[in-house]
Amino acid sequence: MTGFTPAVAEAVDAVRNQFAGLTVDAVADGAGGAMVTIEGIDIGSAYTPSVTWLGFHISSAYPDADIYPHFIGPVRRSNGTEHGQAIQNATWRDRAALQISRRSNHRDPAVDNAALKAERIMLWLTTQ
C-alpha cells in the first residue's frame, strides 16, 4: 500500500484542521498509516526553545489503535530542572527528539482521535 487508509487520511485532515496555520507534514508509512510532523508548536516559556515540532505515527489500525508515543524537538526546561519520567531522549525520523510517553489506557476511538490526542499532549507538556 502506498497511501493512507481512508480512516488515516481522515485523521490527517483532522490534524491539519486542528493545527491550521502550522505546517503539517504527513508521509505514508507503506502500510496505510502516516508519519505526521507538525512544525511550529508553541509550548510556552517553560521550555527553551519555546517553539518546537510534534511528531507521531498514525498506524493503519487507526481508529482502533492509540496514537502513541509522541515526539518533540530536543527542548530543555527553562528553570533547569530535568524532564519527568514520561519524557526521554529518542529519535524521530532521523531527528534528535524527546519521546513523550502518554498512553491512553481507556481511550474511546469514537472520541479520542489523533488531532485531539496531539492537542492533549501539548496541553500536558505545557503544564509540567
Side-chain angles (χ1 to χ4, degrees), residues 9 17 20 23-25 34-35 40 44-45 49 58 64-65 84 92 105 113-114 119 123:
N17 288 333
T23 300
V24 177
D25 179 48
M35 309 296 279
S45 61
I58 305 174
D64 295 321
W92 169 253
N105 291 327
N113 62 45
E119 195 69 44
L123 179 61

Side-chain angles (χ1 to χ4, degrees), residues 47-111:
Y47 294 93
T48 303
S50 62
V51 176
T52 188
W53 51 267
L54 174 69
F56 51 93
H57 180 218
I58 305 174
S59 81
S60 60
Y62 184 85
D64 295 321
D66 191 11
I67 308 299
Y68 170 88
H70 287 73
F71 300 87
I72 62 171
V75 299
R76 299 180 320 277
R77 294 182 61 84
S78 297
N79 66 6
T81 61
E82 297 293 322
H83 294 293
Q85 291 181 336
I87 301 175
Q88 52 274 330
N89 292 319
T91 302
W92 169 253
R93 304 187 68 214
D94 298 325
R95 297 168 85 169
L98 294 175
Q99 177 179 305
I100 301 173
S101 299
R102 301 290 298 165
R103 182 179 300 272
S104 301
N105 291 327
H106 303 290
R107 69 181 288 279
D108 177 350
V111 176

